[in-house]
Amino acid sequence: MPKERLSVVVTRRLPDVVEARLAELFDTELRTDDTPMSRDELIEAMTQADVLVPTITDQIDAAMLAHAGERVKLIANYGAGVDNIDVSTARQRGILVSNTPGVTTEDTADMAMALILGVTRRIPEGLAVMQAGRWEGWAPTAFLGGRVGGRRLGILGMGRIGQAVARRANAFGMQVHYHNRRRLRPQVEEELHATYWESLDQMVSRMDVISINCPHTPSTFHLMNARRLKLMKPSAVLVNTSRGEVVDENALTRMLRAGEIAGAGLDVYEHGTDINPRLRDLENVVLLPQMGSATVEGRIEMGEKVIINIKTFDDGHRPPDLVVPSML
Ligand SMILES: O=CC(=O)O
């Protein structure tokens, strides 16, 4: 008897090629409109399918997993960060969780660098002047930013993305420093010309630019709290392409407004789209709508990862990108 096809529910629209391949391989229910599923729809999907493919904006908490019943066996997250899923509870209930690491590393690092350049070289201010037709020509003292080369960059979280940011920063002549739970191997440190700081406080107080590249976990929530933000030099800039929850957004906003920090480049926010309105009208801030991993290539590769994880599971093996609580 032929094996029954695995049933898969996808919570959001994905790139066409990814949806087509999912539909070819599995008994797949695709989303027809590009709105997020409600809490009830997510629970229902888990009661009806073997595999749920959520995205990073679908919150899957313990209560939902408790309502999900016995059906769902794998949550194949379309995204590298899994802070949207209660991985420990899933594990306890025998549900596997996989993610899509690696494929968005370079794109996200590009965006971190773009934000560093955007803030220090005042790109949005220049763009706004051009778009308003207010440019009065070159002037020796107009739009003066800071030179990126020679600045000290402190990378908070030296995983794949942090290291990719370090490589770019080296190419721009920045001095690379980092703080991480684990120190890199000496050879990798040397390759990246990166100086390790055991004390995050000390690193923060000495850097010109801080780039946040750690995941959001209970231990990184508000790692950049008001006290630590106050340690930053008044001339320093903060860039975040990771998760908004790592930074106390209200404290950051207050300090930016008071001129206690020179600028910020943000791609992520503590409360999703509910951004502190006092951040929006600041000139020394570059705000992006969480587009760090938004490349055509990256989003297709994320889909390929999801498919490989499901297919491997379907074949009776351990999905290659299994997330276990001890990793978090
Ligand atoms: O933010 C994007 C991701 O976690 O993949």
Side-chain angles (χ1 to χ4, degrees):
M1 228 175 58
K3 185 166 156 257
E4 223 181 279
R5 296 213 313 163
L6 201 70
S7 67
V8 175
V9 173
V10 182
T11 68
R12 289 296 290 264
R13 292 301 314 268
L14 301 180
D16 290 344
V17 287
V18 175
E19 291 189 341
R21 190 72 184 130
L22 278 165
E24 217 172 271
L25 289 170
F26 314 109
D27 176 13
T28 305
E29 192 181 310
L30 297 168
R31 190 89 173 139
T32 45
D33 63 297
D34 197 14
T35 55
M37 279 189 177
S38 68
R39 204 181 154 82
D40 286 346
E41 282 176 305
L42 284 169
I43 294 173
E44 196 184 306
M46 287 191 280
T47 61
Q48 291 176 357
D50 305 310
V51 180
L52 182 76
V53 179
T55 69
I56 57 168
T57 52
D58 296 313
Q59 292 298 327
I60 302 186
D61 57 33
M64 290 167 78
L65 289 165
H67 280 104
E70 305 285 302
R71 179 82 197 249
V72 67
K73 297 289 182 302
L74 169 66
I75 299 175
N77 202 41
Y78 183 84
V82 288
D83 51 334
N84 56 313
I85 302 167
D86 185 334
V87 177
S88 303
T89 303
R91 178 101 179 157
Q92 279 159 21
R93 303 188 67 85
I95 304 166
L96 302 180
V97 177
S98 64
N99 68 340
T100 59
V103 289
T104 50
T105 301
E106 305 299 326
D107 297 328
T108 308
D110 284 343
M111 202 54 108
M113 204 64 222
L115 285 171
I116 293 171
L117 293 168
V119 179
T120 54
R121 297 302 304 274
R122 303 172 59 175
I123 291 173
E125 283 174 71
L127 177 65
V129 164
M130 296 307 283
Q131 287 178 332
R134 285 191 283 107
W135 186 38
E136 289 169 2
W138 187 87
T141 56
F143 300 111
L144 303 188
R147 176 178 291 158
V148 168
R151 279 183 194 237
R152 294 172 141 222
L153 169 67
I155 298 175
L156 204 179
M158 199 60 148
R160 289 188 185 88
I161 299 174
Q163 293 179 37
V165 173
R167 286 194 297 276
R168 283 157 178 75
N170 278 321
F172 279 86
M174 300 184 86
Q175 297 175 33
V176 175
H177 300 255
Y178 77 100
H179 172 83
N180 200 44
R181 273 186 308 179
R182 273 186 300 274
R183 189 168 176 173
L184 297 176
R185 283 184 289 117
Q187 193 200 334
V188 180
E189 239 177 45
E190 212 171 292
E191 274 164 23
L192 296 172
H193 308 286
T195 304
Y196 174 66
W197 292 78
E198 193 175 340
S199 160
L200 177 58
D201 284 358
Q202 283 184 22
M203 182 179 88
V204 164
S205 68
R206 286 171 175 77
M207 295 299 123
D208 301 308
V209 180
I210 300 281
S211 174
I212 301 192
N213 298 107
C214 59
H216 166 222
T217 67
S219 56
T220 64
F221 175 78
H222 277 197
L223 207 52
M224 289 305 285
N225 55 18
R227 184 190 66 78
R228 265 208 191 100
L229 288 165
K230 283 205 167 70
L231 296 175
M232 286 175 68
K233 298 201 283 188
S235 58
V237 163
L238 180 94
V239 165
N240 190 2
T241 50
S242 155
R243 285 292 185 266
E245 291 93 333
V246 180
V247 180
D248 181 339
E249 189 172 299
N250 287 335
L252 175 69
T253 306
R254 276 197 306 276
M255 291 185 64
L256 285 163
R257 294 195 80 89
E260 288 164 355
I261 299 178
L266 306 175
D267 189 43
V268 287
Y269 306 90
E270 190 173 347
H271 306 288
T273 53
D274 192 10
I275 297 164
N276 187 325
R278 290 164 62 81
L279 261 180
R280 280 197 229 119
D281 55 1
L282 289 169
E283 274 200 337
N284 53 345
V285 166
V286 179
L287 304 180
L288 295 178
Q290 199 165 359
M291 49 198 272
S293 66
T295 64
V296 173
E297 295 85 348
R299 291 288 152 86
I300 292 173
E301 287 166 15
M302 283 166 72
E304 284 165 356
K305 281 238 155 203
V306 165
I307 291 165
I308 290 168
N309 281 304
I310 302 174
K311 185 78 179 78
T312 313
F313 169 75
D314 195 22
D315 293 343
H317 305 290
R318 179 190 157 102
D321 304 307
L322 200 64
V323 180
V324 294
S326 62
M327 288 161 71
L328 303 174

